[in-house]
C-alpha cells in the first residue's frame, strides 16, 4: 500500500489527518521573510525569518490535500522566533483555521516551543547579522535585558536585543501541529502538550513517540454523532464528545474566555456587527485570543453562518487582505508596543475594530442595537455567574473546581505511577482491556444471552468465562473514576458552560424567527428552475415579515434580513423541499417545531417581552452524561514494527520521526471493519453528496451576487498574478453588488407590477427604504476604499471629496492667473457653471460640520442629499473626471480606475433617478433648512398686490414654521427653519386692511433650498370680505412638483412622460358642465374612505400625511362636498351664491329646541366653529366640520339629522342623493368604518377651535 493511499484509507472518519512539524531548515539557514516586509531596523533576534514545514505525516490525504504554504504560514504567522538563555521560553499554544474556496474548513492546533540551535553556521550567521547591525547603528552590544522586563505574549517581542555566540545560547522556535477536520481544541491541546513533554523530561515515555503519533493519525476515530470517545496520549487519557444530529454543532473554543476578554456588552455588540455583515477586525498580540474570539462569535451565529472572508489569524505577509472591499472577519496581531492610533487601515467607515488586549471596541456609525439587549445581557450574566466567572471585560476567567480554564493554559498532566503502569502493562497492542470490555458490552447487550445467563443462575449453574470476565472488568478502574481528574473537571465545566451560553443565543433566534417559514416564497416547480431564475425571484416576503414583528425589533431586523447570511438561510430552506436539509437548518426547524408544539410563541406574538431560555439545565446534563458515560474507547498506542535503534531521542530535542513508519497506515487494521465501518461509509456518502453538489453550490453563490472566489481568497499562492486575479474578482463582485442593490431599490420603491407597467406607485415602507439606502452608502464607501494609495480619515469617499475640492480651488486659481483681464470673468463663469451643482451639495454638507461631526456621517449625508436631488450619478461622475487626482489617490487595480466597470457603475446609479427619495429629509430632522415661498396671484382678475398685511405659515410632517408676516408689495420671501420634512399645508391669509384688500391667489410655491424639492399649494380662490365665501385665510394642501426640463437638466434619466403615472389617482372631473352622477359621487366617497383605512394599516412611521387624505383634491372633504352640492337649489331659488355651510347653519338654527344628544353635539360643533377667531370662510368651516366629525367619529350620526331636518326639502331637489334614504344608508355604513381608527388632525386645521 502506498503512502498516499494509506493516508487516505479512512480519512473522513479519522480524528486527525496530519501531524506536522515546522521550524528552521538547517540546510538553507536563515532566510529573511520577504513577504513580511523589510525590518532591517530591528535587531536580528526580532527580525522575521522564514520557517519551513520540516515534516508531515502522512505525505498526503486524498480527502484533504495538504496545503504546505498555508499550514506553514499559519503555524508560524510571523516566521521563526529566536531567543537566548536570558529570555522566557515558555511553550505557546494557538489554533488556526483554513477556509477553502467552497467554504469548508480545516482546523489546525499548534504547540510552539523552543529548541537549542546546534547548527554552527546558523549561530555564526546570527552573530554576523548582529555585528552588521551594530556597525550600521554605531552601537556596541548592550547587556541582555532581564527576562521579566516584558510580559507581552507576542513571540518576537520577548527576544533579547543582543546576542554573542561566545556567551549566549541560541534557541529557535519549533511547532508541532495537528490538522483535524473538526475543532477538538481541548483534546488537541492536551495531546500536543503531552507529546512535547515526552521529548523534554528525563524519564523516557513507555513507547517511542512514533507510536503515539501513529495512534492519533490512524487508530483514533472521530466520535460518532451523539457519542463520546476516549483515547490515550502519552501520560493521560483524553475524552471528547460529538453532539448528536439534533443538537447544536460542535464548538470547543472557550466562550468563557471570549466573554472575559471583551465583556458581555462588548461581545454582544461585536456579535451584532457580525450578524449585520460589517467588516470586523480583531486586534491582539496573542494568536489564540484572536482565534478564541473569532470562533466564539461565529459559533454563536446558529442557525446562520458567516458567508464572507474569514481569516482569524492574518499572517504578516497577507496584510493586503485588509484592502478587500467586502465584509470580512479577520484577526491581526498587534506589533510590539504599538497602539491603535498607529494602525493604518484602508477603510473604517463600516469597520468594527476589536482591541482584545485593551478590552475595547470601536463601532460603526448608525449601528442598530440587538433586540432586548438589556435583558439579553442580564441572562448571559446569570449563566456566567452560575459558573463563578466574572462578566467584566478584562477579568481572567475564574476557574474553581469544576470551572473551565483558559485555553492558553496547558492542562495539568497526570504523571502518577498508575497511568504509566497502566500503559506499560497493556501488552504489545495495548488494547486488551478495551477488547474485553467491548466483549462484555456485546454479551450484556444481547437479549438472548442475557436470558440464558439468567436461566443458568436460577439453576445454580454459572458461566465461568463470563463471570471471570466481569470480575476482571470490575477490578479495573471504572470509566467514571478513571476519567475524573482535575483537568477533566475543568473540561466538563467548560463544555457545560459553552452549551448553556450557546443555548441562550439560539433561543433569541428561535423567538425572533419562530414563524419565518410562513413568509418564505416557494414559487419554483423544481430545483433546476429555481437555480436558473434565482436572481429574479423574491424568496422572502420581507415587508410582511417586518409588519409581524414588534416595533423595537424593526431597526435590527430590517438590516439583518438584507444580509447574505439570511439570504443563504432562506435559500437552504427553499432547497430543502427537493433535497436533504442543511444540518443547521434541520436542527433549527426541529426546535421551532417543538416550540410550536407547546405553543410557546402564541401568547407573545408581536410582543417584545423577553423570554428566557428554558433548556439550560437539560442541555448541560446531556453534555455531562456523554462525557461521563464513555461510549467508545480507541485502540491504545502500541509498539510499531520499527527497526532496532529507531525511536531514540535526545532530551530537550523533538526527534526526527520515522517517515517510513508514519506515512503508511495499518494494512489490516481491525478497527475500520469492526467498529467504524458504518461511520466511514456514512461520512464517505456525505462527501460524495458534497462533491455532487459542487455545481449547485457554484450556481447558488453566483445567483446570490458573490462568487465563491470572492468569499475566501487563497492563502497559499501569493504570486502577483493570483493577487491581481483576486482584485479583479473584487471589482467584478462590487459591480455586481451595485447592480443588485440599485435594482432592488427600484423594484421595492416602485413595486414589481408598477415597474412592468411603467408606473411609480410607492410600494416600500420607510424602514425598508432607509435600510436599502444605508446599504448603498456602505457599498459606496467600500468602492472608494478599494485600492487606496494612502488612507486619510475614516471615510474614503469624504477624503476624495476634500481632495477634489482642493484640486478644483487650485485649478481655479491657476486658470484665473493665466487668463487675460478681459477674459477673467468669462473663464470664471464657465468654470463655476460646470461644477455649480456639485459644489452646492458639497458646500451644504460642509456648512453643517458642527451638526454632523464625523467624516463618515458627512459622507453619508452627502450621498443621501445627492440621491434626493437626483444628482448622485452626476456628482460621482464629476468627482471622477479628474483622472490625475484619481491616479494619485488610487492604485492601478482599484475599482475606480477600471474604466468599463466604472461606467457601468455610474449607469446603475443613474437608474435611481427614476424614483423620488426623501432619504435626506427624513433622516436629518434637526438641521436648519432655508425655504423660499412664492405667492402667485391671478393678475387678469385681480390686483397682483394687496394693500393688506399678508401672512403665511408652512407646515410639514415634522412641524410648522409658525406665522410669518410677508412684507408689503412682496410676493416672494425666504426663511430659515428647522427641517419640516415633506411639506403638507400652507396657511395663507391677510388682515383685510386698505382699499385693495381683496386678493385672488392662484397658488403658493414653496421650495426647499437644500434638496431642491418644490411644492405647489393650489388655491384659485379669493381672500377678502364680501367676495367668494368671505374667507380671509385658507388652508392649502400641497403636492410635489416634478422639475421642468430646464431644472431637470443634468439630473439624468427619468421615467418618460408618456409612461409616468399621475401623481394622484384619477377621479371623475367635477365642473358645472360635467356634474357627476350619484353613483360616481358614492364611488368617490368610498375611495376616499378606503385610502384613509389603508393609511392606518401601514406602519406608523410610513403613513405620511393624513391631511392630504382628508382635505386634498380627492380627499374625504371634497367627496362630501360633491354629495351635498348634488341637487342643491341655490342657483335658481335663492338668486345668490349659497354654500353648504349655509345649509348646515339653517339646520342648526331650526333645530335648537330639540333636546336629542346628537343634535346637541352637532350644534355645539357648529357654534364652536362659528365662534373661532380665525377668519375662515364658509367652505373652510364646512371642511373643519367634516374633519372634526371624522376625528370624533360623529359624521355617521350627524348625517341622518341633516337628512331629516325640515330645511332639507326646501333646499334640495327630490332627486338629490341627500333625500335618497338608500344612498344615505349606504353612505352612513361607509363612514362608520372610520370609527375603528384614531384620526389625528394637524394643528393648522383645528387652530382656534375650542371644544
Amino acid at each position: 500500500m502506498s503512502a498516499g493511499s494509506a493516508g487516505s484509507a479512512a480519512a473522513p472518519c479519522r480524528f486527525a489527518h496530519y501531524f506536522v512539524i515546522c521550524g528552521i531548515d538547517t540546510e538553507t539557514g536563515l532566510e529573511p521573510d520577504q513577504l513580511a516586509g523589510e525590518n532591517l531596523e530591528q535587531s536580528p533576534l526580532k527580525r522575521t525569518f522564514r520557517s519551513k514545514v520540516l515534516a508531515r505525516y502522512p505525505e498526503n490525504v486524498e480527502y484533504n490535500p495538504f496545503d504546505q504554504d498555508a499550514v506553514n504560514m499559519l503555524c508560524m504567522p510571523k516566521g521563526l522566533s529566536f531567543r537566548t538563555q536570558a529570555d522566557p521560553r515558555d511553550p505557546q499554544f494557538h489554533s488556526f483555521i483554513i477556509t477553502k474556496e467552497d467554504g469548508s474548513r480545516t482546523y489546525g492546533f499548534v504547540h510552539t516551543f523552543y529548541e537549542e540551535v546546534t547548527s554552527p553556521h546558523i549561530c555564526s550567521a546570527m552573530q554576523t547579522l548582529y555585528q552588521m547591525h551594530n556597525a550600521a547603528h554605531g552601537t556596541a552590544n548592550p547587556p541582555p535585558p532581564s527576562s521579566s522586563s516584558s510580559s507581552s505574549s507576542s513571540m518576537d517581542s520577548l527576544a533579547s536585543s543582543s546576542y554573542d555566540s561566545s556567551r549566549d545560547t541560541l534557541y529557535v522556535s519549533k511547532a508541532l501541529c495537528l490538522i483535524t477536520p473538526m475543532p477538538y481544541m481541548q483534546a488537541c491541546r492536551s495531546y500536543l502538550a503531552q507529546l512535547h513533554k515526552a521529548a523534554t523530561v528525563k524519564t523516557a515515555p513507555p513507547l517511542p513517540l512514533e507510536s503515539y503519533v501513529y495512534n492519533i493519525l490512524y487508530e483514533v476515530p472521530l466520535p460518532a454523532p451523539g457519542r463520546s470517545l476516549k483515547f490515550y496520549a502519552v501520560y493521560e487519557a483524553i475524552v471528547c464528545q460529538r453532539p448528536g444530529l439534533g443538537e447544536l454543532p460542535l464548538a470547543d473554543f472557550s466562550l468563557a474566555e471570549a466573554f472575559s476578554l471583551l465583556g458581555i456588552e462588548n461581545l454582544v455588540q461585536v456579535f451584532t456587527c457580525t450578524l449585520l455583515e460589517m467588516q470586523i477586525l480583531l486586534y491582539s498580540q496573542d494568536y489564540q485570543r484572536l482565534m478564541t474570539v473569532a470562533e466564539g462569535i461565529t459559533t454563536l451565529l446558529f442557525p446562520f453562518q458567516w458567508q464572507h472572508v474569514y481569516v482569524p489569524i492574518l499572517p504578516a505577509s497577507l496584510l493586503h487582505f485588509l484592502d478587500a472591499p467586502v465584509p470580512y472577519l479577520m484577526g491581526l496581531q498587534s506589533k510590539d508596543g504599538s497602539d491603535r492610533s498607529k494602525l493604518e487601515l484602508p477603510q473604517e467607515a463600516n469597520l468594527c475594530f476589536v482591541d482584545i488586549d485593551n478590552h475595547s471596541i470601536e463601532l460603526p456609525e448608525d449601528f442598530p442595537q440587538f433586540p432586548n439587549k438589556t435583558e439579553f445581557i442580564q441572562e448571559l450574566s446569570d449563566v456566567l455567574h452560575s459558573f463563578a466567572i466574572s462578566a467584566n471585560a478584562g477579568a481572567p476567567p475564574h476557574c474553581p473546581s469544576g470551572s473551565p480554564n483558559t485555553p492558553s493554559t496547558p492542562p495539568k498532566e497526570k504523571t502518577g505511577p498508575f497511568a504509566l503502569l497502566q500503559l506499560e502493562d497493556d501488552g504489545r497492542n495495548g488494547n486488551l482491556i478495551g477488547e474485553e470490555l467491548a466483549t462484555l458490552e456485546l454479551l450484556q447487550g444481547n437479549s438472548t444471552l442475557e436470558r440464558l445467563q439468567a436461566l443458568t443462575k436460577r439453576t445454580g449453574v454459572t458461566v465461568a468465562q463470563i463471570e471471570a470476565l466481569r470480575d476482571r472488568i470490575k477490578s479495573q478502574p471504572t470509566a467514571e473514576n478513571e476519567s475524573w481528574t482535575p483537568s477533566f473537571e475543568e473540561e466538563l465545566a467548560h463544555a457545560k458552560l459553552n452549551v448553556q451560553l450557546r443555548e441562550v443565543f439560539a433561543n433569541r433566534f428561535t423567538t425572533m424567527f419562530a414563524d419565518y417559514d410562513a413568509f418564505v416564497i416557494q414559487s419554483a416547480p423544481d430545483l433546476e428552475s429555481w437555480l436558473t431564475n434565482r436572481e429574479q425571484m423574491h424568496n422572502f416576503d420581507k415587508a410582511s415579515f417586518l409588519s409581524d414583528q414588534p416595533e423595537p425589533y424593526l431597526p435590527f431586523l430590517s438590516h439583518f434580513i438584507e444580509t447574505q447570511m439570511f439570504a443563504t438561510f432562506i435559500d437552504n430552506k427553499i432547497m430543502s423541499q427537493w433535497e436533504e436539509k442543511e444540518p443547521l437548518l434541520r436542527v433549527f426547524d426541529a426546535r421551532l417545531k417543538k416550540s410550536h408544539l407547546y405553543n410557546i410563541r402564541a401568547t407573545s406574538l408581536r410582543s417584545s417581552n423577553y423570554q428566557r431560555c428554558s433548556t439550560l439545565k437539560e442541555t448541560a446534563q446531556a453534555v455531562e452524561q456523554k462525557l461521563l458515560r464513555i461510549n467508545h474507547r480507541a485502540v491504545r498506542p502500541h509498539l510499531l514494527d520499527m527497526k532496532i535503534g529507531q525511536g531514540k531521542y535526545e532530551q530537550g530535542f523533538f526527534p526526527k520521526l520515522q517517515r517510513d513508519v508514519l506515512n503508511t497506515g495499518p494494512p489490516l487494521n481491525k478497527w475500520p471493519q469492526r467498529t467504524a465501518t458504518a461511520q466511514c461509509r456514512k461520512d464517505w456518502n456525505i462527501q460524495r453528496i458534497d462533491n455532487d453538489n459542487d455545481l449547485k453550490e457554484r450556481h447558488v453563490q453566483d445567483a446570490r451576487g458573490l462568487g465563491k472566489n470572492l468569499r475566501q481568497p487563497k492563502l497559499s499562492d501569493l504570486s502577483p498574478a493570483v493577487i491581481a486575479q483576486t482584485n479583479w474578482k473584487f471589482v467584478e463582485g462590487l459591480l455586481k453588488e451595485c447592480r443588485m442593490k440599485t435594482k432592488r431599490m427600484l423594484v421595492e420603491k416602485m413595486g414589481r407590477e408598477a415597474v412592468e407597467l411603467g408606473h411609480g406607485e410607492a410600494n416600500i415602507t420607510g424602514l425598508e427604504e432607509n435600510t436599502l439606502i444605508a446599504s448603498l452608502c456602505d457599498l459606496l464607501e467600500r468602492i472608494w476604499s478599494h485600492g487606496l494609495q494612502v488612507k486619510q480619515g475614516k471615510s474614503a469617499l469624504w477624503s476624495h471629496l476634500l481632495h477634489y475640492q482642493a484640486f478644483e480651488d487650485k485649478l481655479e486659481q491657476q486658470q484665473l492667473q493665466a487668463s487675460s483681464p478681459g477674459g477673467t470673468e468669462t473663464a470664471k463663469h464657465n468654470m463655476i457653471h460646470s461644477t455649480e451643482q456639485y459644489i452646492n451639495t458639497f458646500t451644504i454638507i460642509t456648512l453643517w460640520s458642527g451638526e454632523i461631526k464625523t467624516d463618515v456621517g458627512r459622507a453619508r449625508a452627502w450621498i443621501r442629499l445627492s440621491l434626493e436631488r437626483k444628482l448622485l450619478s452626476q456628482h460621482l461622475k464629476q468627482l471622477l473626471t479628474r483622472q490625475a487626482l484619481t491616479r494619485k489617490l488610487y492604485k492601478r487595480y482599484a475599482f475606480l480606475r477600471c474604466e468599463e466597470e466604472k461606467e457601468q457603475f455610474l449607469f446603475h446609479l443613474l437608474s435611481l433617478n427614476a424614483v423620488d427619495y426623501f432619504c435626506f429629509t427624513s433622516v436629518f430632522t434637526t438641521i436648519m433648512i432655508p425655504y423660499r415661498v412664492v405667492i402667485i396671484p391671478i393678475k387678469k382678475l385681480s390686483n397682483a398686490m394687496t394693500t393688506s398685511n399678508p401672512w403665511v405659515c408652512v407646515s410639514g410632517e415634522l412641524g410648522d414654521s409658525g406665522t410669518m408676516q410677508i412684507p408689503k408689495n412682496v410676493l416672494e420671501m425666504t426663511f430659515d427653519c428647522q427641517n419640516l420634512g415633506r411639506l403638507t399645508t400652507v396657511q395663507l391669509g391677510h388682515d383685510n386692511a386698505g382699499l385693495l384688500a381683496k386678493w385672488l391667489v392662484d397658488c403658493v410655491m414653496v421650495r426647499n433650498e437644500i434638496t431642491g424639492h418644490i411644492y405647489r399649494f393650489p388655491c384659485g380662490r379669493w381672500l377678502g370680505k364680501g367676495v367668494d365665501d368671505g374667507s380671509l385665510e385658507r388652508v392649502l394642501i400641497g403636492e410635489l412638483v416634478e422639475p421642468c426640463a430646464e431644472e431637470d437638466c443634468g439630473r439624468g434619466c427619468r421615467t418618460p412622460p408618456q409612461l409616468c403615472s399621475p401623481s394622484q389617482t384619477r377621479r371623475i372631473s367635477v365642473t358645472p358642465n360635467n356634474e357627476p352622477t350619484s353613483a360616481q359621487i358614492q364611488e368617490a366617497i368610498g375611495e376616499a374612505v378606503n385610502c384613509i383605512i389603508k393609511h392606518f394599516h401601514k406602519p406608523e412611521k410610513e403613513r405620511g400625511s393624513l391631511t392630504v387624505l382628508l382635505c386634498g383634491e380627492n380627499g374625504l372633504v371634497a367627496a362630501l362636498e360633491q354629495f351635498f352640492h348634488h341637487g342643491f337649489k341655490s342657483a335658481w331659488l335663492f338668486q345668490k351664491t349659497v354654500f353648504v355651510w349655509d345649509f348646515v347653519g339653517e339646520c342648526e338654527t331650526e333645530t335648537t329646541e330639540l333636546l336629542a344628544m346628537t343634535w346637541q353635539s352637532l350644534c355645539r360643533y357648529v357654534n364652536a366653529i362659528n365662534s373661532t377667531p380665525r377668519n375662515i370662510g364658509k367652505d373652510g368651516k364646512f371642511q373643519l366640520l367634516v374633519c372634526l366629525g371624522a376625528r370624533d367619529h360623529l359624521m355617521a350620526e350627524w348625517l341622518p339629522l341633516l337628512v331629516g331636518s325640515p330645511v332639507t326639502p326646501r333646499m334640495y331637489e327630490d332627486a338629490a342623493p341627500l333625500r335618497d334614504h338608500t344612498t344615505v344608508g349606504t353612505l352612513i355604513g361607509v363612514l362608520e368604518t372610520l370609527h375603528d381608527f384614531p384620526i389625528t388632525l394637524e394643528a393648522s386645521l383645528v387652530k382656534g377651535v375650542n371644544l
Side-chain angles (χ1 to χ4, degrees), residues 487-501:
S487 61
F488 178 75
E489 290 186 53
E490 294 173 0
E491 293 176 10
L492 177 60
H494 153 82
K496 292 168 64 176
L497 175 59
N498 264 21
V499 73
Q500 289 194 6
L501 290 172

Side-chain angles (χ1 to χ4, degrees), residues 759 1060-1066:
H759 290 253
C1060 282
S1061 295
S1063 59
Q1064 296 178 347
T1065 310
R1066 293 186 180 89

Side-chain angles (χ1 to χ4, degrees), residues 1119-1139:
L1120 288 176
E1121 280 184 350
Q1122 293 179 14
F1123 178 80
F1124 281 100
H1125 273 294
H1126 194 77
F1128 212 33
K1129 297 180 180 179
S1130 62
W1132 56 272
L1133 180 63
F1134 304 104
Q1135 299 299 318
K1136 66 176 182 178
T1137 303
V1138 179
F1139 297 89

Side-chain angles (χ1 to χ4, degrees), residues 244 258 278 313 482 627 816-817 968 1062 1247:
M278 299 178 177
I313 298 178
E482 180 184 349
L627 289 176
L816 290 177
Q817 294 174 3
K968 286 189 176 182
K1247 184 169 61 176

Side-chain angles (χ1 to χ4, degrees), residues 951 988-992 1023-1025 1029-1034 1172-1178 1181:
W951 55 267
L988 180 67
H990 62 80
D991 61 357
N992 202 40
L1023 282 84
K1025 291 294 185 180
D1029 65 345
S1031 176
L1032 292 182
E1033 65 174 270
R1034 297 193 183 277
T1172 179
R1174 297 172 60 184
N1175 295 307
I1176 55 176
K1178 296 179 179 179
K1181 293 178 179 180

Side-chain angles (χ1 to χ4, degrees), residues 80-217:
L80 296 171
S81 177
F82 286 91
R83 296 282 208 285
T84 67
Q85 77 283 352
D87 301 319
R89 302 186 304 279
D90 296 331
Q92 300 288 330
F93 173 83
H94 79 272
S95 50
F96 63 83
I97 186 172
I98 298 178
T99 306
K100 300 180 181 178
E101 294 180 355
D102 61 356
S104 61
R105 296 177 177 179
T106 298
Y107 294 85
F109 303 96
V110 185
H111 181 88
T112 305
F113 57 97
Y114 288 88
E115 281 187 350
E116 181 180 346
V117 177
T118 58
S119 172
H121 74 273
I122 292 179
C123 295
S124 176
M126 182 62 69
Q127 179 72 37
T128 303
L129 288 175
Y130 256 103
Q131 292 174 353
M132 296 171 59
H133 175 75
N134 293 334
H137 294 79
T139 59
N141 281 350
S146 172
S147 61
S148 61
S149 62
S150 174
S151 60
S152 170
S153 59
S154 176
M155 300 288 284
D156 55 354
S157 64
L158 296 174
S160 296
S161 58
S162 65
Y163 170 70
D164 187 343
S165 59
S166 62
R167 70 164 189 250
D168 294 326
T169 303
L170 188 64
Y171 295 86
V172 67
S173 57
K174 179 179 279 190
L176 306 180
C177 175
L178 274 180
I179 305 294
T180 66
M182 300 188 72
Y184 286 105
M185 190 269 294
Q186 303 285 354
C188 292
R189 183 190 65 186
S190 176
Y191 176 86
L192 291 173
Q194 294 185 53
L195 195 65
H196 173 238
K197 181 178 179 179
T200 57
V201 296
K202 295 181 180 180
T203 305
L207 299 170
L209 296 183
E210 285 85 351
S211 296
Y212 303 103
V213 175
Y214 184 91
N215 179 255
I216 195 74
L217 287 177

Side-chain angles (χ1 to χ4, degrees), residues 19 21 57 191 195 198 205-219 234 636-643 645-649 654-664:
F19 177 76
I21 305 175
Y57 314 101
Y191 176 86
L195 195 65
L207 299 170
L209 296 183
E210 285 85 351
S211 296
Y212 303 103
V213 175
Y214 184 91
N215 179 255
I216 195 74
L217 287 177
Y218 299 110
E219 297 176 329
V234 184
R636 293 173 181 262
H638 53 84
L639 290 175
L640 301 175
D641 188 11
M642 299 171 62
K643 297 178 181 179
Q646 290 183 339
K648 293 183 178 181
Y649 70 96
F654 196 85
K656 185 176 181 180
L657 304 180
Q658 300 302 313
R659 187 180 301 272
D660 57 336
V661 174
L662 296 180
N663 277 345
T664 305

